[in-house]
Amino acid sequence: MIEKITPETYIKMNEEFEEEGTAFRIMVPTQEQIDNSIGAKLPTTFIPQKPMIVDGSDPWPHSK
């Protein structure tokens, strides 16, 4: 059986994170946002990124 994803699903996940002491929280979307994202298409082509520079000269190499 597939459970319908609702904002309550995200609220419960955040509660579990708090109980476990996990320093991670999920933004709770609206039902409309959830419904729109379920039918979203995944990319069909791969767009390669430039290699990440790790010498410290570029602090956010993949944000461009």
Side-chain angles (χ1 to χ4, degrees), residues 13-59:
M13 289 193 298
N14 279 334
E15 289 171 356
E16 288 179 21
F17 292 145
E18 287 179 31
E19 289 172 9
E20 296 170 358
T22 305
F24 184 82
R25 300 294 176 269
I26 299 172
M27 289 178 47
V28 179
T30 65
Q31 187 63 50
E32 182 180 2
Q33 290 171 320
I34 293 169
D35 293 342
N36 289 339
S37 69
I38 291 174
K41 285 188 168 186
L42 296 174
T44 57
T45 58
F46 175 73
I47 301 171
Q49 295 182 1
K50 66 180 185 175
M52 187 168 81
I53 300 170
V54 293
D55 64 1
S57 64
D58 189 356

